[in-house]
Amino acid sequence: MAEKEIILNEEELIREAFVEKGWNEIQSQDSWQILKTVAEFVDGFDRLAKIGPCVTIYGSARTKPDHKFYLLSEEIAAKLVSRGYGVITGGGPGIMEAGNKGAAENGGKSVGLNIKLPFEQVPNRFVDPDKSINFDYFFARKVCFMKYSQGFIVMPGGFGTLDELFEALTLIQTKKIARFPIVMVGSEYWKGLLDWLNQTMCEKEKNINPEDMNLIKLVDTAEDAVKVIDEFYGKYLLKPNF
């Protein structure tokens, strides 16, 4: 029944795109969406401006608590907070829950930027209550990830994880944000993608520069993931301030 409802909703959205609308209707709908977007930015900026240095952990919402990548994410988060960083995730289950759990259970700041979805995304219980923020729009949520993160840990995930990874890479490559460290965890998972980026996108088609690949560090352990973050900021003699 739920699957049938999703299909019907998809059909309604497709048909709606072809319906002619009057100017008043367009103006009313667009104005309402603009106000909702502004409200999300205002709420996100106001609450996240106070959290201090944080590292975002990305990854699949479908990863189970007994999976090695869940346990590894939890360990990474624990090590991050022991070094003074807070942890930001998408606030949902799977890898996100693991990141928030590792932070919360080790006395660190645990932030969740939750997105409202018809499936998968339910806020996890390890986000600090005053640091749980709900979003309707992916783009508003991604802006907050990028604006308030001092580094990105990319665990194995799906389309959403890839979207967030390439958003960060694009903004750093084009110098729209500072060059924060991007750490991909799990060589067995990511090696195929990185080989394609190197061999096809870079060497064969020359759609990126060889130095662009230096924006990514690939590791397999929690110690190495956190070491990349620490060494990056150590070059600038910077340390977390809480």
Side-chain angles (χ1 to χ4, degrees):
M1 184 67 181
E3 184 177 351
K4 186 177 180 181
E5 289 177 358
I6 291 173
I7 292 172
L8 289 174
N9 288 336
E10 288 177 348
E11 289 180 355
E12 289 173 6
L13 290 172
I14 292 169
R15 293 180 185 280
E16 185 181 344
F18 287 88
V19 174
E20 288 192 20
K21 298 176 182 176
W23 173 246
N24 288 337
E25 186 179 5
I26 293 171
Q27 192 175 40
S28 174
Q29 289 181 352
D30 288 352
S31 297
W32 177 242
Q33 286 187 319
I34 289 169
L35 289 173
K36 283 181 65 180
T37 302
V38 170
E40 290 196 356
F41 280 127
V42 169
D43 184 41
F45 286 10
D46 181 59
R47 294 168 68 181
L48 291 171
K50 307 163 188 172
I51 62 173
C54 284
V55 174
T56 288
I57 298 178
Y58 293 129
S60 176
R62 306 184 188 195
T63 305
K64 303 302 181 187
D66 59 350
H67 195 286
K68 64 179 180 180
F69 288 133
Y70 183 106
L71 299 174
L72 183 55
S73 301
E74 191 177 343
E75 183 183 357
I76 290 170
K79 290 183 179 301
L80 284 170
V81 301
S82 74
R83 287 161 169 78
Y85 298 96
V87 170
I88 301 174
T89 80
I95 295 295
M96 296 175 280
E97 178 184 283
N100 290 127
K101 181 180 180 184
E105 292 188 346
N106 289 276
K109 294 187 178 182
S110 180
V111 184
L113 309 186
N114 191 61
I115 187 77
K116 298 173 186 175
L117 297 176
F119 58 92
E120 286 184 357
Q121 190 81 347
V122 177
N124 72 69
R125 62 190 176 91
F126 298 104
V127 178
D128 295 342
D130 63 327
K131 300 179 188 67
S132 179
I133 305 172
N134 292 316
F135 292 86
D136 279 313
Y137 299 111
F138 271 109
F139 67 88
R141 179 179 182 239
K142 285 199 293 184
V143 167
C144 288
F145 275 132
M146 300 303 154
K147 184 174 175 61
Y148 294 103
S149 298
Q150 277 67 55
F152 305 96
I153 303 286
V154 186
M155 302 298 297
F159 289 157
T161 302
L162 289 174
D163 178 41
E164 290 153 348
L165 166 64
F166 285 110
E167 175 86 2
L169 286 170
T170 300
L171 291 174
I172 293 172
Q173 181 204 48
T174 56
K175 304 188 187 307
K176 292 296 184 181
I177 63 173
R179 182 178 173 173
F180 297 134
I182 298 176
V183 186
M184 299 177 73
V185 181
S187 55
E188 63 181 283
Y189 191 88
W190 295 117
K191 186 176 183 300
L193 172 63
L194 294 177
D195 285 346
W196 179 81
L197 291 175
N198 265 311
Q199 297 165 13
T200 301
M201 185 180 284
C202 183
E203 294 175 8
K204 182 180 178 182
E205 299 296 338
K206 298 181 173 27
N207 287 326
I208 59 174
N209 295 321
E211 57 267 26
D212 291 333
M213 293 303 298
N214 295 331
L215 297 174
I216 300 168
K217 298 293 184 184
L218 180 63
V219 304
D220 285 299
T221 67
E223 290 80 3
D224 286 342
V226 178
K227 183 179 178 182
V228 172
I229 304 291
D230 276 344
E231 288 185 347
F232 180 87
Y233 287 107
K235 290 186 299 185
Y236 304 102
L237 302 177
L238 295 173
K239 292 185 179 296
N241 58 11
F242 63 84

